[in-house]
Amino acid sequence: MRLKSNIWVSAYLRRCQNEGVFGAVRRRGAEEAGAVFVKVSLLDGHAMLYVPAPQTAYDDGRPVDRFFVPAAPQPLPEPAVEERLTKEVRFDPDAWIVETEDRAGRHFLELAKT
């Protein structure tokens, strides 16, 4: 069983804080199983968006982990990221949005192997 979304988000924000990166919950979703989207603002008008990895990225050996994939290979203009997030919330009202700010683009997420 995967860690509840609210606990995972709290731990993720603590990790960011420990690394000196500001992070906040922009939208609170379903506490138990809401999908989590992470926006990393690069503070230059661009951002990276990390979305939940597809279920095919999970293996039986690590079913409790949360893996992410970048929505695009390069940073996008922030309005494009915000548009995508608006669409995601419209599609899934239980979704969480977490935003961090880091000029270096550090995200501290486990990325799915592609």
Side-chain angles (χ1 to χ4, degrees), residues 63-83:
V64 298
D65 293 336
R66 284 186 186 256
F67 294 111
F68 292 83
V69 294
Q74 300 296 324
L76 298 170
E78 289 213 39
V81 172
E82 291 300 321
E83 184 178 324

Side-chain angles (χ1 to χ4, degrees), residues 2-112:
R2 194 175 295 166
L3 200 60
K4 292 181 180 182
S5 296
N6 64 332
I7 295 170
W8 185 91
V9 168
S10 294
Y12 176 71
L13 290 174
R14 176 68 55 111
R15 167 81 194 275
C16 291
Q17 180 183 15
N18 287 342
E19 297 291 339
V21 171
F22 173 77
V25 175
R26 283 194 27 206
R27 183 176 197 287
R28 187 172 298 278
E31 287 195 19
E32 295 202 12
V36 179
F37 295 84
V38 178
K39 175 184 172 187
V40 179
S41 176
L42 303 176
L43 302 171
D44 66 355
H46 292 82
M48 288 294 295
L49 178 61
Y50 295 91
V51 301
Q55 289 299 314
T56 56
Y58 293 86
D59 64 29
D60 294 335
R62 297 174 66 182
V64 298
D65 293 336
R66 284 186 186 256
F67 294 111
F68 292 83
V69 294
Q74 300 296 324
L76 298 170
E78 289 213 39
V81 172
E82 291 300 321
E83 184 178 324
R84 169 77 185 266
L85 288 170
T86 299
K87 289 178 184 177
E88 294 291 351
V89 169
R90 209 175 296 135
F91 176 75
D92 179 7
D94 292 334
W96 290 72
I97 298 175
V98 177
E99 184 167 346
T100 64
E101 297 178 343
D102 187 58
R103 291 186 194 283
R106 296 177 297 163
H107 53 75
F108 314 111
L109 299 167
E110 285 194 65
L111 299 181

